[in-house]
Amino acid sequence: MNLSRAISILRDGGLVAFPTETVYGLGADATNAAAVRRIFAAKGRPPTNPLIVHVADEKIARRYAGNWPQAAARLAAKFWPGPLTLVVPRAVSLAPEVSAGRDTVGLRAPDHPLALQLLREFDGPIAAPSANRSTRISPTRAEHVREELGDAVDLILDGGPCRVGIESTVLDLSGDAPVILRQGAIMQNQIEAEIGPVKLFAGSVDPAIAAASPGQHAIHYAPRARAYRFDSTSRPALAQMLETNRARSADSRALVYLESSTAAPAILAAVTFAAVVQMPADSTAYAQRIYQALREVDQPGVDTIFVEMPPDEPAWAAVRDRLSRATTPLP
């Protein structure tokens, strides 16, 4: 284990990729502005897209929060370590770049033993967005980081595949009313059971404007190939599109579909695909698998990916959010 080397790199202003329960993060000392700027450069990330700052526990979080509201204390006690990021006023000791210049910061304690060991021994805040190129598919394995960033990262800590598989829920506690800025494994009803009603952000933020949270831009988590989403109402449009393009090479198409689907087997019978991935009908298992599945089908020569959307139900909200930002509706 290269923990001592990782800590030395972080203290020297370098970049260390490390696993969390959600996705792999690209980490830098969150108090070092030059190091934080290296994250943006390595990812090709716009400076208007803020970074989440990782901490070992609530005690450390309070050091880097300008204010720690009672709701934050209750939620940290319930869900930390875990996939919940709390947006609170930012302490001046943090580099302004982590917050895209805003006066708030997203803090969370990740639920992964290697990440927590790194954070405890570093004894400070680590800014860490997902360890991939900006707007692309998030990494859930160490090899994904190597494929995406190569030599741009100084060290990759391999902690195996990520257990949750999609990014954390982001809850803004800095305003008059709590707002979920990004959905994740911790759902709205779970949060409301602890602190009462919360609002839900919908839509997207213009990349030219400083966002309050990562994951708010319209295009995110996307494969390189064109990716279209479809559901039961758009199956006729999909059939027509495939029929119109029947003469095209099968090597240029890929399909990701739910195992409970009745439409996908009919599509498979009528059209040949270069790559096909059958996804679990359980939302938790689906979330853990989705980024790996998108990487499997996003291969050289594949220029079009079709993704069947899961049910429009609360348990699927976070997955549907990721797919909506990674794909476009059928034309």
Side-chain angles (χ1 to χ4, degrees), residues 220-305:
H220 217 61
Y221 325 111
R224 290 176 173 80
R226 292 189 304 272
Y228 296 110
R229 60 182 179 269
F230 70 96
D231 55 23
S232 58
T233 62
S234 54
R235 287 171 186 166
L238 174 60
Q240 180 61 48
M241 185 177 183
L242 293 173
E243 179 63 29
T244 301
N245 294 281
R246 181 178 290 275
R248 291 182 59 210
S249 168
D251 292 339
S252 65
R253 293 184 296 254
L255 175 68
V256 178
Y257 74 99
L258 278 168
E259 66 182 17
S260 58
S261 171
T262 57
I267 295 168
L268 290 172
V271 179
T272 302
F273 291 87
V276 177
V277 176
Q278 185 183 49
M279 295 297 294
D282 172 75
S283 61
T284 300
Y286 189 111
Q288 197 277 333
R289 177 90 170 86
I290 184 55
Y291 290 148
Q292 174 70 23
L294 287 175
R295 286 180 179 275
E296 288 175 13
V297 299
D298 190 28
Q299 297 299 319
V302 172
D303 62 23
T304 309
I305 300 171

Side-chain angles (χ1 to χ4, degrees), residues 52-143:
I52 288 172
V53 173
H54 294 69
V55 293
D57 52 38
E58 184 184 0
K59 180 181 177 181
I60 304 296
R62 287 174 179 265
R63 289 188 204 167
Y64 300 101
N67 177 46
W68 192 251
Q70 181 59 33
R74 293 187 64 176
L75 292 167
K78 177 68 176 181
F79 296 113
W80 280 12
L84 177 65
T85 295
L86 302 175
V87 176
V88 295
R90 174 174 58 83
V92 295
S93 56
L94 290 174
E97 287 84 350
V98 301
S99 304
R102 295 170 64 104
D103 59 3
T104 57
V105 63
L107 297 167
R108 94 170 181 102
D111 188 14
H112 190 289
L114 182 53
L116 287 174
Q117 187 177 358
L118 174 68
L119 286 159
R120 289 188 185 111
E121 295 191 20
F122 182 65
D123 192 30
I126 299 178
S130 56
N132 57 284
R133 297 291 297 174
S134 182
T135 78
R136 297 304 182 191
I137 303 169
S138 299
T140 54
R141 297 173 183 266
E143 55 263 35

Side-chain angles (χ1 to χ4, degrees), residues 75 84-87 169-173 178-180 191 195 198:
L75 292 167
L84 177 65
T85 295
L86 302 175
V87 176
T169 304
V170 178
L171 178 69
D172 188 354
L173 296 174
V179 182
I180 294 175
I191 295 171
I195 63 170
V198 302

Side-chain angles (χ1 to χ4, degrees), residues 22 58 95 103 115 167 199 311:
T22 58
E58 184 184 0
D103 59 3
E167 296 80 0
K199 298 179 180 179

